[in-house]
Amino acid sequence: MIPLPNNSELFPDGESVARAAADRLVALCAESKQERIAVCLSGGSTPKRLYALLAGPDYVGSLPWDRLHWFFGDDRFVPWTDPLSNVHMARTAFGDAPIPEDHWHCIPADGTLEEAATAYAATLRDVYGADRLDPARPLFDLVLLGLGEDGHTASLFPGKPGLDEREAWVAPVPESGLDPFVPRITLTFPALASSRRLLVLVTGAGKREPLTRIANGEDLPARRISSVGDLTWLLDRAAADFG
Ligand code: 6PG
């Protein structure tokens, strides 16, 4: 087994990773005294099972859907109806979950890439109520992230724009570093770090290589993931266990 990132928890399979993440959201909501609970969703395929679980009979009755608001850590710059869109993926996976329409805070997919990034940053600032992030008052209650096979997270790719951004909360990414090769929009590391709790969900043998490269100290984007709150990597055995 490779040396795991700090704050890792190992699970038998993808299903148990998804259930562990769902349990943490339920617990976070139960502890929260806030009227609005802001969750920043990750895209790709890994979180589909988590989203379906939350909407399913085991969890749907345990969540305060009227207080939960759903944001996106990144998206492909395609129409929300496009199968490549993370909005399309999330709405499909959440299915009939009782999410009020105005609780979806999706990254715009119209205008220019730069306009959409600027508009989403304005949405986040409006929700947050200030222009500067205060570590004592995180923007998100929960941030979910994944790990790409090239070591990216959100749409922060090796060698691409946004990696070193320390001021802007949202960045346009004209060229994706991995399939699907469409322009992207991503939250930056400071915005993702503004989280009460951050979970990185990593499952499947395809993630062994990036995990190893991170463990070996390579400065891949995902190695820069941080949080002003709690950060936990939820890994399944296929991704983390070489034995
Ligand atoms: C995206 C995601 C991206 C994802 C990783 C892992 O838009 O693709 O936000 O960062 O989390 O690429 O993707 P999988 O879960 O599909 O392996």
Side-chain angles (χ1 to χ4, degrees):
M1 185 183 303
I2 54 173
L4 301 180
N6 291 332
N7 310 321
S8 295
E9 292 188 28
L10 198 56
F11 296 88
D13 51 30
E15 177 72 11
S16 47
V17 164
R19 286 187 174 274
D23 292 341
R24 280 160 173 76
L25 177 57
V26 168
L28 181 152
C29 291
E31 291 160 11
S32 172
K33 302 282 184 286
Q34 296 168 190
E35 179 47 37
R36 180 182 60 232
I37 300 171
V39 178
C40 184
L41 299 173
S42 63
S45 56
T46 301
K48 287 180 183 175
R49 181 58 185 144
L50 166 59
Y51 303 163
L53 273 175
L54 295 175
D58 291 354
Y59 290 91
V60 70
S62 306
L63 290 166
W65 295 96
D66 60 327
R67 294 167 57 207
L68 281 159
H69 285 251
W70 308 92
F71 300 81
F72 288 80
D74 73 314
D75 210 345
R76 298 79 181 275
F77 191 60
V78 295
W80 293 341
T81 52
D82 187 314
L84 288 179
S85 163
N86 286 333
V87 173
H88 180 276
M89 178 278 287
R91 283 181 178 275
T92 303
F94 272 107
D96 297 331
I99 301 176
E101 191 51 36
D102 62 353
H103 285 211
W104 285 107
H105 305 278
C106 305
I107 297 175
D110 49 7
T112 69
L113 193 69
E114 290 69 20
E115 288 167 346
T118 302
Y120 203 55
T123 296
L124 296 179
R125 279 198 303 274
D126 184 46
V127 164
Y128 187 64
D131 288 343
R132 295 197 66 80
L133 294 169
D134 176 355
R137 186 172 72 89
L139 169 60
F140 298 114
D141 295 282
L142 173 64
V143 168
L144 298 170
L145 286 174
L147 172 65
E149 296 189 1
D150 61 349
H152 81 263
T153 192
S155 284
L156 294 159
F157 293 96
K160 298 289 185 184
L163 278 184
D164 298 320
E165 179 58 57
R166 303 307 305 160
E167 296 302 324
W169 298 8
V170 184
V173 183
E175 284 181 18
S176 162
L178 204 63
D179 184 44
F181 292 100
V182 295
R184 311 285 190 97
I185 290 175
T186 188
L187 266 60
T188 59
F189 282 118
L192 295 168
S194 187
S195 42
R196 207 173 297 283
R197 176 178 283 277
L198 191 153
L199 300 176
V200 190
L201 277 62
V202 185
T203 64
K207 305 301 171 74
R208 289 184 179 180
E209 188 200 341
L211 275 177
T212 305
R213 292 171 63 189
I214 289 169
N216 292 339
E218 198 171 335
D219 182 23
L220 295 177
R223 195 162 182 268
R224 303 187 190 185
I225 293 171
S226 69
S227 171
V228 299
D230 293 327
L231 165 57
T232 311
W233 290 67
L234 305 183
L235 312 172
D236 77 352
R237 193 158 290 285
D241 184 12
F242 278 38

